[in-house]
Amino acid sequence: MDAQKVDMFLMSNGKFFESHHMHMIREKLLTLDDAKWPMLATTQFSDPTTTLIVSILAGSFGIDRFMIGDTGLGVGKLLTCGGFGIWAIVDWFLIQSATREKNMQKIQQFLY
């Protein structure tokens, strides 16, 4: 794939991934077939900041976990009212990295 296209993708989507993953993503995108580019360009990634705001406002209901695709954890969090409040508070610190990891799993579908 063209290096300019890859760099533009990383500039516009860099906030959705952990910084230590960026080099690996760039290397894999450079070797990616151009036929996969339209699917990759239209993929929607979850915004870690939005997920954090939702976690602060409605984390006791598990909505933040539902947003990133952790349905089982979302149900558990919903049924326990955010782990009696403790899990909801712990998630304020963990949800952004969990969101970035889910985004990484999503992009790996295209890279491998």
Side-chain angles (χ1 to χ4, degrees):
M1 187 178 300
D2 185 22
Q4 183 179 8
K5 195 184 291 186
V6 170
D7 290 337
M8 191 161 54
F9 175 82
L10 291 176
M11 282 182 8
S12 62
N13 295 302
K15 68 179 182 178
F16 300 126
F17 304 102
E18 297 282 353
S19 60
H20 63 274
H21 288 150
M22 296 301 286
H23 181 71
M24 190 269 300
I25 291 172
R26 186 176 193 283
E27 295 299 318
K28 290 291 184 181
L29 285 176
L30 287 174
T31 61
L32 190 68
D33 185 22
D34 281 337
K36 292 183 177 183
W37 174 251
M39 291 188 304
L40 181 63
T42 58
T43 301
Q44 296 289 321
F45 297 104
S46 299
D47 188 358
T49 306
T50 303
T51 309
L52 175 63
I53 293 169
V54 170
S55 181
I56 291 170
L57 297 176
S60 297
F61 303 114
I63 295 172
D64 52 346
R65 289 293 176 172
F66 287 118
M67 282 180 62
I68 64 172
D70 284 339
T71 307
L73 291 176
V75 169
K77 206 171 169 182
L78 177 66
L79 294 176
T80 61
C81 293
F84 306 108
I86 296 170
W87 188 359
I89 293 171
V90 170
D91 257 359
W92 294 348
F93 301 98
L94 300 178
I95 198 70
Q96 284 191 307
S97 66
T99 304
R100 288 186 179 106
E101 287 297 323
K102 288 292 182 177
N103 287 334
M104 187 65 193
Q105 290 173 3
K106 190 181 288 187
I107 198 171
Q108 283 179 342
Q109 296 172 357
F110 299 103
L111 300 179
Y112 297 104

